[in-house]
Amino acid sequence: MSDTRSVVEELYRRIGEGEGERESLGELFAEKLEWDIYGAETVPWAGPRGTREEAVEFFRSLPDHLRAEKFEVERILVDGEHAVALGHMRNVVLATGKVFDSPFAFHIKVEGGLITRYITFEDSLALARAFES
């Protein structure tokens, strides 16, 4: 599996499988990567990351903060080593009980069969508000 579409599809397949597959997500990421989730400081996972282990820790920690109700990738657009995954998510923030419901876009870059860029675009204002007491 080295082409961009296959790597991205495998990423979302593993995410969809849940906790059992989270530990294997690291296999899809390069040792060093460009990662950013734009958002407020009140969101525990917002901000940049730069290593495979930090990426895996992100996925590992999500269930500590969110209960997923929906995560649906509706389309994956590929142009060479770049892909954009478009979809919709709905989560409950465990700390507040508030719902975060948002469309999303992920910009992913795959080089040598590994993800080297993972940038998230979502309604970061709605997410920050969902974390407010």
Side-chain angles (χ1 to χ4, degrees), residues 19 42 52-53 66 72 78 95 121:
E19 199 165 324
T42 56
R52 172 186 295 152
E53 185 52 41
L66 299 175
E72 186 174 292
V78 176
F121 301 92

Side-chain angles (χ1 to χ4, degrees), residues 93-114:
V93 175
L94 298 177
T96 64
K98 293 181 181 179
V99 172
F100 168 60
D101 190 59
S102 176
F104 63 75
F106 298 101
H107 176 199
I108 300 164
K109 185 176 182 182
V110 176
E111 297 175 280
L114 296 172

Side-chain angles (χ1 to χ4, degrees), residues 22 44-45 49 54-66:
R22 281 199 186 100
W45 59 82
R49 290 172 174 74
E54 289 173 325
V56 171
E57 183 53 36
F58 162 78
F59 290 109
R60 199 180 287 138
S61 70
L62 276 183
D64 296 338
H65 304 287
L66 299 175

Side-chain angles (χ1 to χ4, degrees), residues 65-76:
H65 304 287
L66 299 175
R67 183 180 72 241
E69 292 188 342
K70 176 182 179 181
F71 184 88
E72 186 174 292
V73 176
E74 298 162 355
R75 183 166 306 225
I76 297 172

Side-chain angles (χ1 to χ4, degrees), residues 2 13-14 25 29 32 43 47 56 62 78-79 90 103 109-110 126:
S2 62
R13 186 196 70 75
R14 291 183 190 191
L25 286 172
F29 288 90
K32 300 287 183 193
V43 178
V56 171
L62 276 183
V78 176
D79 181 15
R90 179 181 168 89
K109 185 176 182 182
V110 176

